[in-house]
Amino acid sequence: MDKILYFCKYNITNMKIYKFGGASVNSAEGVRNLQKIVGKEKGNLVIVVSAMGKITNALEKVVNSFFERRADVTKNLQAVIDFHTTIVDELFEDKTTITAELKQLYDELKEIIQQKPSLSYDYDYDRIVSFGELISTTIVANFLKQENSAIQFVDIRAGIKTDDNYREGNVDMDLSQKLCDRLFAEREKKVFVTQGFIAGTITNQTTTLGREGSDYTAAILANLLNADSVTIWKDVPGVMTADPKRYKEVQIIPKLSYKEAIELSYCGASIIHPKTVKPLQNKKIPLFVKSFIEPDKDGSVINEYPYKLNLPPIYIDKSNQVLLTLTPRDFSFIAEEKLSKIFSVLASYRLKVSLMQTSAISFSFCMDYNKVNFQQLVQEFKNEFEVLYNTDVELISIRHHTKEIIDKLVGEKIVFVEQRNRLTARFVVSE
Ligand code: ASP
Ligand code: MG
């Protein structure tokens, strides 16, 4: 019985998800390379694409100038348009269709920035920043269509539904399941091109899933469509033992468990978005991490393994952290009530704690240092706590640590906080 069901599942779905991040489509050459990787696939494939290059950052500038009603909003938007125009000019010989489709998107954006901002920054953020993905998928789909009649553009806002928690929408999996079943019903002859990162509410407002959320989109779709696998195409050859841009002696890790992957991304590994693993693990769908520069190489696989994998030390370095220590002014214990207060303040600033430690009357934690709202945050905590902090500290996390690797990475540095268990060692340090 089991065997038959298993067989059925694979015969019916046989679906793959490919995700291409901003770095893979930051130029005309990148889009051509994507075409080479996708090849002549004639069906059962969903291609999830992020905004091109650093366009999400550029659109954040548009949002900020719009929300603060600054005059440079027009110039900031023009920079976004110009970036894409250059790519389109290099990619297309016949520009009639693509130009018309993009004009419609640019006109919508221009119309938005002529209106007054809403009362919600997050709402305005999502409805502007989402254009990065709408534009990139319009370009990619039109380009692929020239050689592949199986290409079908999908506006994912009609398929993935979230609540109205703008900038970090919570996905309604049941509703999204029903909608995606319909949207992706005819999959045999289709190669779908759709947006990562963005989604919609039930009243069709645009939401986003959090920065770098396209991996998460790929995982959600894999779960909903019972895909056989997800492949994330990156500018590195796979999951590495350390950031190859920072360290010389790095190796690729061919196999990782879901648990290892989730622990690594919790430690700050930028290889996959932290939310990506759960939807895949829940349906036991393997995740391949491969290089778009050398697509024939194996890369890494994240999957459920029935045996223990022997892994080398893996280390992640997060610089530009700030370490804060809060002590209640009235000397009350750090317990549930105080902690929930602290976390609700952090949540209101959309801050994520990267490491924490409590003692009887103090709570220390590390997070990304953001000059803009840090002083405001400190002021808010000062109402109730004595606040001490160190900026410019670094958080080093080492999985599968050995004495040698700790000596090498931490060595002579000043250690502010140290946490160690059998598998993970973490240090907040400064030079
Ligand atoms: N374009 C979005 C970002 O840069 C989503 C993504 O790239 O995954 O955050
Ligand atoms: Mg990105």
Side-chain angles (χ1 to χ4, degrees), residues 122-177:
D122 293 349
Y123 168 80
D124 283 338
Y125 179 101
D126 281 359
R127 66 183 189 139
I128 292 174
V129 163
S130 52
F131 276 88
E133 271 71 11
L134 292 170
I135 297 168
S136 71
T137 47
T138 300
I139 296 174
V140 168
N142 275 286
F143 185 69
L144 296 180
K145 260 185 206 165
Q146 300 176 329
E147 287 197 358
N148 189 340
S149 57
I151 299 296
Q152 178 160 333
F153 178 91
V154 170
D155 185 334
I156 204 61
R157 294 173 297 178
I160 298 181
K161 290 293 172 186
T162 67
D163 61 7
D164 59 2
N165 188 33
Y166 295 105
R167 291 180 71 195
E168 185 121 31
N170 298 296
V171 177
D172 180 337
M173 289 297 271
D174 292 335
L175 179 58
S176 306
Q177 178 76 65

Side-chain angles (χ1 to χ4, degrees), residues 15-66:
M15 189 88 165
K16 278 188 303 189
I17 316 280
Y18 280 1
K19 181 258 169 174
F20 290 90
S24 69
V25 286
N26 63 1
S27 61
E29 195 199 334
V31 179
R32 283 199 195 96
N33 187 52
L34 180 155
Q35 184 188 42
K36 230 188 276 162
I37 292 173
V38 174
K40 299 262 181 288
E41 301 269 358
K42 287 286 178 240
N44 297 323
L45 178 67
V46 182
I47 305 172
V48 175
V49 187
S50 303
M52 295 179 148
K54 300 255 179 268
I55 280 299
T56 304
N57 294 352
L59 282 162
E60 283 185 342
K61 270 194 180 171
V62 176
V63 177
N64 293 340
S65 48
F66 167 65

